[in-house]
Amino acid sequence: MDLILERGLDVGDALPTESELSAELGVGRNTVRESLKVLQALGVIEIRHGFGMFVAPNNFSALVSGLTFRGRLSLRHKGEEAMELIDVRQALESGLIGSAIDLLTDEHVADLRSTMEAMEDAAKKGEPLHEHDAEFHRRLYAPLNNDLLINLMDVFWQVYRKIHLAIGTGPVNLEQQTQDHWDIFEAVANKDKALASERLQRHFDGIRLKLKDVAAA
């Protein structure tokens, strides 16, 4: 990683070959090969067989896998780590919603409304809402133009989704789930920061209760 930084390499740039790295770093080829496997698992580099090694684009898959494992493992006990994931996302969303509202435009509101209409239509058809749910939360914070925030929110969403699929949390009330998001939308569209934050807090309290029920079973 130091070599990548020192050489000023960026996303998509090619790395030296294994033999070149071995000579430059003063270690054996096997050591280089094992280290490259670790860097690939961490999402730092990508290895394209027949083409070489390159600096990888932003990749949070390793983080998703690790947090999912820890969250599912914790549910065998009191589910504390799974709850902590919800706590962090709740703090991020309820804490930043005011800043997002400050930068909200009519176009942002229209995008949110479009997402909610798609969610409502899916609910009426009895279809799963998870993709619409994720898109709503992405668009909720789009005014901040913060890619790291959106990526982290996606990580938390994917982790919870994987835990949900693995353990099951009972039937989902699609109508209530849609209404909860309409309530958040209404507060945001009216630029009521306090109410938007409160409704987001309540939204995640509901998710937390579901996990508590599973952990207690």
Side-chain angles (χ1 to χ4, degrees), residues 38-80:
V38 173
L39 290 176
Q40 184 180 32
L42 291 173
V44 175
I45 68 169
E46 57 182 355
I47 299 174
R48 305 174 196 165
H49 297 291
F51 294 94
M53 301 172 293
F54 303 84
V55 180
N58 288 338
N59 187 339
F60 290 82
S61 60
L63 182 59
V64 171
S65 297
L67 290 177
T68 301
F69 172 74
R70 301 307 307 182
R72 289 180 62 185
L73 190 64
S74 75
L75 290 174
R76 296 180 180 179
H77 312 293
K78 296 182 179 179
E80 290 179 356

Side-chain angles (χ1 to χ4, degrees), residues 138-157:
R138 289 189 199 103
R139 293 190 177 188
L140 201 57
Y141 298 90
L144 295 175
N145 196 29
N146 187 323
D147 288 340
L148 177 59
L149 171 65
I150 300 302
N151 282 324
L152 286 175
M153 285 172 49
D154 277 347
V155 165
F156 293 134
W157 182 84

Side-chain angles (χ1 to χ4, degrees), residues 117-127 129 174-175 178:
E117 289 171 349
M119 181 186 290
E120 187 170 62
D121 185 54
K124 288 177 180 178
K125 296 176 182 177
E127 298 173 353
L129 303 182
L174 300 179
E175 183 178 346
T178 302

